[in-house]
Amino acid sequence: MKMTIEDVLERMRDRTEREGSVAAWARRHAVSQVYARDVLAGRRPPGPGILEALGLSRDVSVTYREAPAHD
């Protein structure tokens, strides 16, 4: 299932609320509390540790297109 960053953050918010706090969730998953808070605030993207804790992985694709001609 494809997810947007908003979907990922919603999942993280839900999980941290269920855990009781961001601090408790971060401790349980061995990630920095500051980092977890930064991700939730949109200041940093979720990395491998947070994605793994959420049961997610990142799928990145690249597309190429022809550049406009320069005159």
Side-chain angles (χ1 to χ4, degrees):
M1 173 174 106
K2 285 189 173 188
M3 297 177 78
T4 66
I5 187 63
E6 291 81 15
D7 297 329
V8 173
L9 296 178
E10 183 59 35
R11 181 179 284 198
M12 188 173 175
R13 282 186 202 95
D14 179 60
R15 301 285 170 88
T16 57
E17 286 175 14
R18 280 199 251 162
E19 193 71 33
S21 69
V22 174
W25 185 87
R27 274 192 305 276
R28 180 170 189 217
H29 296 287
V31 297
S32 158
Q33 292 179 43
V34 172
Y35 176 48
R37 291 180 195 284
D38 281 351
V39 170
L40 286 169
R43 290 186 293 265
R44 296 173 69 181
I50 287 180
L51 292 173
E52 182 179 330
L54 297 173
L56 302 173
S57 64
R58 185 179 319 209
D59 182 23
V60 178
S61 64
V62 176
T63 58
Y64 296 91
R65 62 187 170 102
E66 191 170 335
H70 295 287
D71 291 327

